[in-house]
Amino acid sequence: MRTHPHRPRLHVGSTGNRVQKVEERLESLGYLKKGTADDRFDARTANAVVDYKQDHGWKGKPQGVVGERMAHSLRHTDADSTGGATTAQASATGGSDGKNKTPSTLKGATYNVERDRSPAEVKDKLGTFARRNKLDFIQLQEINGYHKALESIPGYHLVTFPKAKDHGESGILVKDSLLAKQATYIQGEGGWTTVRGGHAPPRAATAVQLAGWLKVVSAHQPPSVDWKNGQPVGPENRVKTYKSLSEKLLAFAKRQLEKHPDQALLIGGDWNEEASTKGKWSPGWIAQQAGMTTHGGAKTHGNASIDWEMSTGCRVSNIKAGPTLGSDHNIVTFTVSRPKGKG
């Protein structure tokens, strides 16, 4: 989808080939129900456009119209959703249940890789651990500088967004035999000053659908934020950034549960907060507002009990803290099971 200056915006009532291409792209990304793409821009198209904009950094109340920014975003979301790999694999079979069958049980993990390490070391240690433990996916954080290394792990492909404001700081490593589609990111706003006086961009969470029934999200909240009397405290810009991503994650979760009630949702990553943390914008607040279950208890990263995962529509079990693999964070593994009778 090429952008052309001065082309009129598409809106409800527009028709033609441009509308068809926009709808086909929205359908491929999971924002328009399958089979509804045609050459007529109607209310369903407008709603899909609004949902897309809310997930991709538009501020305020986005309008259901398509201009040059939207066309450009659609074009690059499709091209960059995996940092060079493809999100739509050739087969939906594989995973923990073997070949020729959609897996109802997936083995997952979450891991903060940590900056300033050797990419070759990251590839070797993480790839070896993933294969030995037969992991289907890993929610990853702090992966800037490791994209090429992670993409070259045999048997896996990387889902990330290098053109998000955080340059692909979070991502999801997915087993090649497992279908991964509808990749998107949830863009936070803000940014903060680092301890070295530099600027840290706002973070974005990465989301992808696996096995046709599970939407997985990898998130990483800014550090140095705490809660007192139910309110976040810390450096002002970090708190604002934390609030922004929490609100975007909550809005994303609510939309997913409303539009895809039969699909399970798993949100996890490095929250920089313990499972016991309470208060608005905390992980527990997101889970409570969205009607999700939190899963804490794994001793990791300084022996703290981190709220790594929250879920709905699935069972999360066997949560274990593994080795650090060279990071200052332990890798945390778990099992995600689809309820009986759900396919």
Side-chain angles (χ1 to χ4, degrees):
M1 182 183 300
R2 297 184 181 278
T3 56
H4 298 272
H6 312 304
R7 272 192 173 183
R9 296 191 301 175
L10 300 176
H11 51 77
V12 173
S14 297
T15 59
N17 186 58
R18 288 176 60 208
V19 174
Q20 177 91 26
K21 290 185 178 299
V22 166
E23 289 188 331
E24 288 174 352
R25 187 60 55 86
L26 288 168
E27 180 184 323
S28 71
L29 295 171
Y31 289 92
L32 194 69
K33 290 183 179 180
K34 187 175 181 180
T36 59
D38 52 32
D39 63 351
R40 298 183 299 276
F41 199 118
D42 55 18
R44 291 175 302 176
T45 313
N47 290 335
V49 169
V50 170
D51 288 346
Y52 177 93
K53 288 181 176 180
Q54 288 175 331
D55 288 346
H56 290 81
W58 269 257
K59 297 180 179 180
K61 295 183 178 181
Q63 301 299 306
V65 299
V66 178
E68 289 306 313
R69 178 186 174 190
M70 176 74 176
H72 182 271
S73 180
L74 283 171
R75 180 183 173 214
H76 286 281
T77 293
D78 187 59
D80 299 322
S81 59
T82 62
T86 175
T87 58
Q89 297 301 306
S91 173
T93 61
S96 300
D97 282 359
K99 297 180 180 180
N100 303 320
K101 184 179 178 181
T102 300
S104 59
T105 299
L106 300 174
K107 293 183 179 180
T110 189
Y111 182 52
N112 185 313
V113 178
E114 190 187 15
R115 302 191 192 284
D116 303 323
R117 295 175 57 192
S118 162
E121 176 196 20
V122 170
K123 173 187 174 181
D124 178 60
K125 291 188 175 181
L126 189 59
T128 299
F129 184 88
R131 289 190 296 273
R132 285 179 177 174
N133 290 274
K134 299 181 179 180
L135 296 180
D136 293 303
F137 68 90
I138 307 175
Q139 297 155 305
L140 296 170
Q141 304 86 45
E142 290 198 32
I143 60 172
N144 288 334
Y146 306 122
H147 290 173
K148 290 184 179 180
L150 293 170
E151 288 164 6
S152 62
I153 292 177
Y156 291 85
H157 59 277
L158 177 67
V159 179
T160 190
F161 288 85
K163 291 196 175 182
K165 292 181 181 178
D166 68 349
H167 310 300
E169 193 269 353
S170 71
I172 303 172
L173 194 69
V174 182
K175 196 172 183 179
D176 280 345
S177 61
L178 192 66
L179 182 67
K181 62 179 183 178
Q182 298 179 8
T184 188
Y185 61 93
I186 301 101
Q187 179 66 65
E189 302 298 331
W192 67 93
T193 302
T194 67
V195 293
R196 298 178 181 177
H199 175 72
R203 285 177 171 160
T206 299
V208 69
Q209 179 180 306
L210 303 179
W213 60 270
L214 179 65
K215 180 77 77 172
V216 178
V217 181
S218 175
H220 188 197
Q221 284 283 25
S224 302
V225 176
D226 204 350
W227 267 258
K228 290 185 179 179
N229 300 320
Q231 293 294 320
V233 295
E236 182 179 3
N237 287 339
R238 294 191 187 217
V239 170
K240 287 182 178 179
T241 303
Y242 201 117
K243 289 180 179 180
S244 173
L245 186 54
S246 288
E247 290 173 348
K248 295 292 182 66
L249 285 167
L250 176 58
F252 178 84
K254 286 184 174 180
R255 284 195 300 276
Q256 285 295 309
L257 299 179
E258 177 185 356
K259 294 180 178 296
H260 307 284
D262 294 330
Q263 188 177 81
L265 177 62
L266 179 77
I267 303 177
D270 183 2
W271 296 100
N272 287 299
E273 288 300 328
E274 296 188 1
S276 59
T277 300
K278 304 296 181 182
K280 191 173 182 180
W281 299 293
S282 69
W285 173 78
I286 296 173
Q288 182 182 41
Q289 295 294 311
M292 302 178 73
T293 300
T294 57
H295 306 280
K299 297 293 184 179
T300 178
H301 195 201
N303 205 35
S305 190
I306 302 295
D307 193 330
W308 290 101
E309 302 293 334
M310 62 182 75
S311 69
T312 186
C314 59
R315 180 172 178 263
V316 179
S317 59
N318 301 322
I319 304 173
K320 299 177 182 178
T324 62
L325 305 176
S327 173
D328 64 344
H329 292 65
N330 301 76
I331 188 169
V332 176
T333 60
F334 48 85
T335 301
V336 185
S337 305
R338 190 178 194 183
K340 294 181 179 180
K342 291 287 187 179

